Amino acid sequence: MPYPLPPQARAWQEKVRRFVREELIPHEVEAEMNGGELPPEVRARHRRRAREIGLRALGIPKELGGAGLSSLEQVVIQEEIGKVTNALGWCYDSTPPWMVEACASSDYQMETWVRPNIRGERHECYAISEAGAGSDVDAIQATARREGEVYVLNGEKWHVTSANHADHFIFQAKLEGGPHAGAHCLFFVDMDSPGVRLLRTPAYSHSYAAHHPIYRFEDVRVPARNRIGPEGGGMEFTHDWFRYERLGIAARCCGAAQRLIDEATAFARSRIAFGKPIAERQAVQVMLADSLTELWAARLMTYRTAEEIDAGADRKASHAQCAMAKLYASEMAGRVADRAVQIFGGRGYMRENVAERFYRELRVDRIWEGTSEIQRLIIANGLFKRGQAALIE
Ligand SMILES: Cc1cc2nc3c(=O)[nH]c(=O)nc-3n(C[C@H](O)[C@H](O)[C@H](O)COP(=O)(O)OP(=O)(O)OC[C@H]3O[C@@H](n4cnc5c(N)ncnc54)[C@H](O)[C@@H]3O)c2cc1C
């Protein structure tokens, strides 16, 4: 029985599903074999088609040039985007809503970075993690020292996703000196600022056109107006950002699992071993049955969390719910990918096979935007502070 999605969400689902199936999926193997790259004209076509169907700045209000979609509509779209490997779904401008909230009071920031970002003319990347600080963000060593109307930034940042496609960083540092010494602060830093240096671009498990390089920032001077939010208070919106991203990951993991179940089911029906399709073997059926059951649970959790956000859910409760959705969906997708590889047998170990690619690609969903262990800490914290009823009843 289909989930009772509102007609507009259902329309988005169908539109994006067709786009992913017809335009993106056919290029997966080519991308995989070329380190994630596709010919520029193909990339350009994907971006153009995405725009034509309305994929842009999904959570940004219409009056600012965004699509103005509800959380549920965004989740439904993300689920479809999650069905394609090699991050080929990263072909539309996805300005995060936190940017608008954080920068709304600064015309300069809105005009210089946020509005161009919404229009798809500028692209950001996040320079937060460091060699010694990932889960424990408070351990960052990066510093920001105020000198009159300028901040001097220093630090080394790891895993800066999409830096090769971006033109500015969101750089996180601790304030050195002043009344808010030790507080965290975010800054817009243009990539061509003197003192910004690309150290290296490590290889990762997946084959994506978007890289995750390491950057050094040495005495980078930025105007004080590049600081996001007030001194000592600029980090408040990061929890909004985490919720947004974690729910998106949960949705994409559901999409990946759906595709894997479809592909593994089709293969199981056609693959003959010992005289009959492996679909008729209970050992294979059990793997598919467990996968479908877990996908349903993850999807219900993800949709319901989005619906509650749209209904104005308490932010703290929502924080724990998004952590639960991300935790469960990412671990579910990992199990589904593992079973899909098993069902495909030797083919499942070939890079041209969707199960092999997802088996590697989905692994990071248990790491980035907070590891599974960190999600569990958030959930337990929510349980102790607010109680079960506030979180899941
Ligand atoms: C592909 C990729 C892209 C990324 N993109 C970005 C990006 O764009 N910008 C950015 O800033 N960062 C990015 N990251 C960094 C990512 O957010 C971190 O890797 C992640 O938060 C984990 O931090 P860490 O790697 O330092 O691991 P650590 O924090 O060192 O953790 C190591 C292990 O210890 C566990 N652990 C840590 N603390 C606890 C605890 N209290 N209780 C129990 N277990 C614990 C962790 O769960 C993990 O298993 C990216 C990472 C990857 C792999």
Side-chain angles (χ1 to χ4, degrees):
M1 189 183 69
Y3 191 86
L5 287 175
Q8 208 175 328
R10 187 66 70 190
W12 271 107
Q13 183 185 57
E14 284 164 13
K15 195 162 53 166
V16 180
R17 183 171 290 175
R18 199 173 326 118
F19 170 63
V20 167
R21 189 181 58 232
E22 292 174 6
E23 297 275 354
L24 303 182
I25 286 179
H27 293 279
E28 286 177 334
V29 176
E30 182 185 5
E32 177 62 30
M33 297 308 159
N34 290 291
E37 298 291 345
L38 289 177
E41 64 278 11
V42 176
R43 285 262 172 218
R45 192 181 71 234
H46 289 168
R47 287 186 65 79
R48 192 178 63 247
R49 283 290 298 127
R51 236 173 200 276
E52 282 167 5
I53 64 167
L55 281 178
R56 65 176 201 292
L58 304 180
I60 303 294
K62 281 187 176 158
E63 55 273 24
L64 288 172
L69 301 187
S70 68
S71 275
L72 185 60
E73 287 163 343
Q74 292 179 64
V75 152
V76 163
I77 290 171
Q78 289 296 323
E79 198 176 1
E80 297 306 315
I81 293 291
K83 290 181 180 171
V84 62
T85 63
N86 301 88
L88 297 186
W90 298 6
C91 59
Y92 63 96
D93 304 309
S94 53
T95 312
W98 77 263
M99 256 199 183
V100 170
E101 289 161 34
C103 305
S105 61
S106 164
D107 288 344
Y108 174 70
Q109 292 180 358
M110 289 298 289
E111 293 311 316
T112 309
W113 292 285
V114 183
R115 286 181 192 275
N117 196 307
I118 293 169
R119 291 196 296 269
E121 296 159 6
R122 302 202 67 177
H123 304 281
E124 91 284 13
C125 59
Y126 293 83
I128 297 169
S129 300
E130 300 180 0
S135 306
D136 183 7
V137 182
D138 200 40
I140 61 169
Q141 300 285 310
T143 55
R145 186 178 70 251
R146 186 143 188 175
E147 290 183 1
E149 279 313 294
V150 163
Y151 283 96
V152 183
L153 308 178
N154 280 285
E156 186 179 299
K157 296 295 183 178
W158 278 48
H159 312 296
V160 187
T161 296
S162 299
N164 56 322
H165 295 154
D167 64 5
H168 60 281
F169 301 93
I170 310 292
F171 178 85
Q172 184 163 338
K174 277 186 175 177
L175 293 169
E176 231 181 35
H180 301 287
H184 289 244
C185 229
L186 297 181
F187 298 88
F188 284 111
V189 180
D190 287 331
M191 221 152 216
D192 56 3
S193 305
V196 173
R197 192 150 58 92
L198 170 66
L199 291 188
R200 66 188 178 94
T201 301
Y204 285 69
S205 293
H206 52 221
S207 308
Y208 285 8
H211 301 156
H212 317 280
I214 302 174
Y215 274 88
R216 178 156 307 149
F217 297 73
E218 268 168 0
D219 291 332
V220 178
R221 300 174 73 82
V222 297
R225 60 187 181 171
N226 286 30
R227 189 193 66 230
I228 301 172
E231 262 207 359
M235 292 292 297
E236 280 169 17
F237 46 78
T238 51
H239 283 159
D240 291 343
W241 164 238
F242 283 147
R243 278 196 294 283
Y244 178 80
E245 274 297 299
R246 286 170 186 162
L247 197 57
I249 288 172
R252 290 195 294 277
C253 284
C254 289
Q258 186 182 349
R259 166 120 186 255
L260 285 164
I261 293 168
D262 279 347
E263 300 258 7
T265 304
F267 180 76
R269 283 208 173 102
S270 65
R271 176 65 175 169
I272 307 292
F274 301 99
K276 59 182 183 180
I278 59 170
E280 293 179 24
R281 307 284 173 187
Q282 286 185 345
V284 172
Q285 291 174 0
V286 166
M287 287 193 270
L288 290 168
D290 284 348
S291 296
L292 191 65
T293 306
E294 293 176 28
L295 166 58
W296 194 28
R299 180 180 288 147
L300 292 175
M301 206 185 266
T302 304
Y303 282 11
R304 187 71 201 129
T305 302
E307 284 169 340
E308 290 204 12
I309 291 172
D310 289 333
D314 169 69
R315 287 158 99 97
K316 305 267 184 190
S318 189
H319 203 62
Q321 287 174 347
C322 289
M324 283 190 264
K326 196 249 188 200
L327 171 68
Y328 188 76
S330 62
E331 300 209 334
M332 173 279 298
R335 290 191 292 273
V336 171
D338 186 73
R339 293 179 194 125
V341 169
Q342 200 66 17
I343 290 169
F344 276 108
R347 288 170 177 77
Y349 200 61
M350 296 165 76
R351 282 171 58 192
E352 64 193 38
N353 185 289
V354 63
E356 191 279 342
R357 294 193 300 278
F358 268 133
Y359 182 72
R360 276 179 291 121
E361 293 182 11
L362 289 166
R363 189 64 183 83
V364 78
D365 289 316
R366 289 147 64 187
I367 296 172
W368 60 12
E369 297 303 335
T371 63
S372 284
E373 291 72 34
I374 296 302
Q375 304 310 319
R376 288 187 170 93
L377 296 184
I378 293 168
I379 297 159
N381 190 38
L383 174 64
F384 287 126
K385 279 194 181 150
R386 271 163 276 285
Q388 198 180 143
L391 303 188
I392 63 164
E393 276 179 18

